[in-house]
Amino acid sequence: MNLCLSVYFDFRHQVFQIKVRDGNQIEKLKELSNILKLVSFALFPHFGTCQFPPEHPVNVVVPPASLELVKSFLESHGLEYSVSIKDLQALFDKQIKEMKFNRRKAKRDTNFNYGDYHSLTELYREMANIASEYPRVAKRLKIGNSFEKRPLYVLKFSTGKNKRPAIWLNHGIHAREWITQATGIWIARKIASDFSKNKPTITSILNKMDIFLMPVANPDGYVYSRTKNRSWRKNRSHKRFKKCVGVDLNRNWDVAFSKGTTSDDPCSEKYHGPNPHSEVEVQSVANFILNHGNFKSFIDIHSFSQLLMYPYGYINSMCPDCDELVSAPSPISDTQEILKPSVTIDLPIYIVSGNTIDWAYKNGIKYAFTFELRDNGTYGFELPADQIIPTALEIWLALEVIMVHVKDHLY
């Protein structure tokens, strides 16, 4: 298999990590973005609930022609920064080399390697394997097809009748966030394995609720990210007479559509699409959830920034249930300091509309959360494969806490 035949960045691109202390500095960053269209804020956190921890780094990709100008701008406006990645292409190349090595190793070992980044075909095959190995609890469902006609698969974990209270775990809506697809398939195996071993936590959850897990919510984009452009974010839909391809699937949901930091430019990586739910990938998930009618939690997994967030994202306001949403995962901090609830502070980074968890909350799914996994910008989206399992273990600790709270507080 050919991996990453071409990428968006050449080897001279760098990633700057900028500390933002107040609203004035945020405005300066917006000014910089407007002045230099080539400066990419692609490494901004993808969802912000409008509230953000003080001095949390903003990661900015800077092309070679703009390096000195960006440095001068930041220094002249008192913005503290460091160069977190000096050679972005080198990280791409290292990841490809690592994956090729793991491919050769996999040929000698028939077991699925959960410590590697896998192709869509391999992920889908492992979903089928999990359903086959654990037929008492796991079933692979097809809920539709992508724009390029790839199947949209979900694993259902259940011990009871249809339409029991349910939890939706969403991974990989942004193509380049490979750690999310990798942790998704690990979590799927973990759920099935723990239940088969009668582990008390997952058994108590599945005795009362169902879990639906979608490891790859954007299969077309994921394939494109692996084979053509490592930094690709959107899906791969296109319309006649449009020069650019793809919609940001986490801006396409029917909630405050086209507000905030979305774009009506089809060439933007944050293009929200022509209308809400215009994308079949979004339609398929939304229709399934609404037709089911008994989902109590929607958890969307992203990278990177190492945050735990909740509604709202489209207005600078707390949701009615935010006190409970903040307290629900409170034990997480006892085991993993990297997972932090996004609390209300006077530091709005940007408004994010048309996103998954605001849509879920708007449609009566109270326990709506977004996770941003590792890391804080050292590797960004190019997280080394040796961090997959440690990251999966971290998110699993958090998910267990949240799912138990949902199970114990059904409404």
Side-chain angles (χ1 to χ4, degrees):
M1 174 184 181
N2 291 324
L3 294 172
C4 302
L5 299 179
S6 63
V7 294
Y8 179 79
F9 306 109
D10 68 32
F11 70 93
R12 293 171 295 172
H13 278 72
Q14 296 185 353
V15 177
F16 284 24
Q17 207 170 67
I18 306 166
K19 284 189 176 179
V20 179
R21 293 190 173 88
D22 54 40
N24 180 59
Q25 291 190 341
I26 293 168
E27 290 305 313
K28 292 301 178 186
L29 282 186
K30 291 177 181 177
E31 182 182 334
L32 175 63
S33 180
N34 291 332
I35 293 171
L36 298 170
K37 298 298 184 183
L38 291 179
V39 174
S40 172
F41 287 80
L43 306 190
F44 248 26
H46 305 305
F47 182 85
T49 75
C50 312
Q51 295 88 35
F52 214 64
E55 297 192 13
H56 195 283
V58 173
N59 297 276
V60 183
V61 179
V62 184
S66 303
L67 286 172
E68 293 306 316
L69 190 54
V70 171
K71 289 178 182 178
S72 177
F73 182 94
L74 295 174
E75 290 166 4
S76 65
H77 290 93
L79 285 158
E80 184 181 345
Y81 74 93
S82 60
V83 179
S84 60
I85 300 176
K86 293 183 178 180
D87 186 344
L88 197 53
Q89 184 64 54
L91 282 184
F92 290 156
D93 294 342
K94 181 181 178 181
Q95 194 173 60
I96 294 168
K97 184 177 179 180
E98 188 177 54
M99 290 167 63
K100 288 180 177 178
F101 171 79
N102 286 333
R103 289 287 92 76
R104 292 192 296 269
K105 184 179 178 182
K107 290 180 180 179
R108 302 189 296 270
D109 184 357
T110 57
N111 293 327
F112 186 86
N113 180 9
Y114 284 89
D116 188 21
Y117 294 109
H118 290 275
S119 70
L120 181 70
T121 298
E122 291 166 338
L123 291 174
Y124 279 0
R125 186 184 302 127
E126 185 62 7
M127 291 177 74
N129 289 340
I130 291 169
S132 176
E133 291 174 41
Y134 301 97
R136 255 190 347 118
V137 70
K139 182 179 181 181
R140 191 178 75 166
L141 308 177
K142 181 182 175 183
I143 65 168
N145 289 304
S146 67
F147 181 85
E148 294 180 336
K149 306 305 179 186
R150 293 182 175 89
L152 298 171
Y153 284 133
V154 176
L155 277 170
K156 177 185 180 182
F157 300 95
S158 179
T159 62
K161 297 179 180 179
N162 287 336
K163 297 191 177 181
R164 295 196 305 168
I167 296 168
W168 185 274
L169 303 180
N170 207 60
H171 300 252
I173 199 169
H174 286 148
R176 63 193 176 196
E177 298 170 15
W178 290 5
I179 187 63
T180 69
Q181 295 93 343
T183 55
I185 197 67
W186 184 95
I187 290 166
R189 170 68 68 171
K190 178 69 172 170
I191 292 171
S193 175
D194 275 12
F195 181 81
S196 73
K197 297 173 183 176
N198 293 316
K199 294 288 184 70
T201 301
I202 196 64
T203 300
S204 69
I205 294 167
L206 288 178
N207 281 342
K208 197 170 182 180
M209 305 187 69
D210 296 341
I211 300 172
F212 292 81
L213 190 152
M214 191 173 199
V216 190
N218 179 7
D220 298 346
Y222 183 61
V223 170
Y224 193 77
S225 175
R226 288 181 55 86
T227 59
K228 299 292 185 182
N229 182 340
R230 175 62 186 87
S231 61
W232 189 257
R233 168 183 169 101
K234 302 187 286 184
N235 73 349
R236 294 295 300 166
S237 70
H238 55 84
K239 310 295 181 185
R240 289 186 67 189
F241 312 118
K242 297 288 186 182
K243 62 179 179 178
C244 293
V245 171
V247 168
D248 182 345
L249 297 180
N250 203 35
R251 302 293 184 273
N252 189 243
W253 296 74
D254 188 12
V255 55
F257 181 75
S258 78
K259 311 298 183 185
T261 56
T262 66
S263 175
D264 57 6
D265 178 5
C267 297
S268 168
E269 66 176 13
K270 293 177 182 173
Y271 175 50
H272 49 59
N275 50 266
H277 295 190
S278 61
E279 306 311 296
V280 65
E281 296 88 354
V282 172
Q283 291 173 25
S284 298
V285 173
N287 289 343
F288 185 89
I289 288 174
L290 293 176
N291 288 336
H292 180 284
N294 202 16
F295 275 89
K296 305 302 181 184
S297 180
F298 189 113
I299 302 173
D300 203 11
I301 313 296
H302 288 260
S303 73
F304 59 93
S305 287
Q306 301 182 207
L307 294 169
L308 170 57
M309 295 169 285
Y310 47 82
Y312 295 113
Y314 66 92
I315 52 174
N316 192 8
S317 176
M318 298 287 283
C319 66
D321 297 296
C322 276
D323 286 345
E324 183 183 359
L325 295 182
V326 172
S327 65
S330 58
I332 293 170
S333 60
D334 296 335
T335 54
Q336 276 306 327
E337 291 184 356
I338 69 160
L339 296 168
K340 305 173 183 177
S342 178
V343 297
T344 304
I345 58 174
D346 295 325
L347 185 59
I349 292 291
Y350 62 92
I351 303 296
V352 179
S353 59
N355 64 78
T356 53
I357 69 166
D358 279 347
W359 175 86
Y361 190 77
K362 171 190 171 185
N363 282 276
I365 302 174
K366 178 165 68 170
Y367 298 107
F369 295 97
T370 291
F371 277 94
E372 296 279 0
L373 303 181
R374 291 188 183 187
D375 57 7
N376 272 322
T378 301
Y379 294 103
F381 302 122
E382 283 63 57
L383 197 68
D386 61 10
Q387 293 196 38
I388 293 174
I389 292 176
T391 304
L393 288 166
E394 288 170 353
I395 185 64
W396 178 246
L397 289 171
L399 289 175
E400 277 193 315
V401 171
I402 292 174
M403 291 192 295
V404 166
H405 182 90
V406 175
K407 183 253 306 180
D408 291 341
H409 297 83
L410 293 177
Y411 54 94

